[in-house]
Amino acid sequence: STALYGRVPAIDDLAARLHRTHGTARLVVADDALTAFLGALGDASGVVVAAGTGLVALASGAHGTVRVDGVGNMIGDEGSGWWIGRQGLIAAFSAADGRPTASGALLERMQTRFGPAADFPSALAARAMAWRIQRSSCSRWLICAATSDGFTP
């Protein structure tokens, strides 16, 4: 996600640097929801959902344009890869703690992949790019384990 949420920052310095180094004559910066919509539908009415690490939806029609989510992983992006990974970790740790909404299958898969649950938080915090574990590695075991355990994020 560009994290622009419809607000394009000043790009004068970037444009000048690109012109100097690559001869770029024109630079356009746009929110990823807009570029996804235009790439998929052009100027037609419709809905585009861009789901990956983040999640944003943009709809346009006779009654106007609406954007949903795309506000980032701290407060939104529900249904994104990040969100699914986080929900999987929560369900795994819930099983370790004996809490409701737990998934024993996710706990087992997490411990097979990353080691004891008790060691996981400090190991994750120590990694420079810790979010990548949650976003990509977890998604692989989450789908396998969730389907066998009946877990629904």
Side-chain angles (χ1 to χ4, degrees):
S1 172
T2 58
L4 294 175
Y5 200 72
R7 294 173 184 84
V8 178
I11 59 170
D12 296 342
D13 291 341
L14 175 61
R17 188 171 51 237
L18 289 171
H19 179 70
R20 259 190 333 275
T21 58
H22 302 290
T24 304
R26 182 170 180 238
L27 176 64
V28 176
V29 176
D31 187 282
D32 55 351
L34 178 61
T35 59
F37 186 92
L38 293 174
L41 300 175
D43 62 358
S45 295
V47 177
V48 169
V49 176
T53 305
L55 185 125
V56 64
L58 189 63
S60 184
H63 298 291
T65 301
V66 177
R67 177 194 171 104
V68 177
D69 211 333
V71 296
N73 62 3
M74 294 296 290
I75 57 173
D77 288 350
E78 291 184 34
S80 69
W82 170 270
W83 183 85
I84 291 169
R86 185 173 186 275
Q87 295 302 308
L89 289 173
I90 290 169
F93 279 101
S94 292
D97 296 343
R99 291 180 279 159
T101 68
S103 172
L106 288 176
L107 175 61
E108 182 181 328
R109 295 283 297 217
M110 182 187 76
Q111 291 184 127
T112 299
R113 171 71 170 86
F114 301 110
D119 298 341
F120 185 80
S122 59
L124 181 63
R127 293 185 59 127
M129 301 295 276
W131 57 270
R132 287 189 183 196
I133 289 177
Q134 192 170 341
R135 186 189 76 201
S136 39
S137 297
C138 292
S139 63
R140 291 185 200 115
W141 57 264
L142 173 63
I143 293 168
C144 297
T147 55
S148 68
D149 198 34
F151 171 72
T152 305

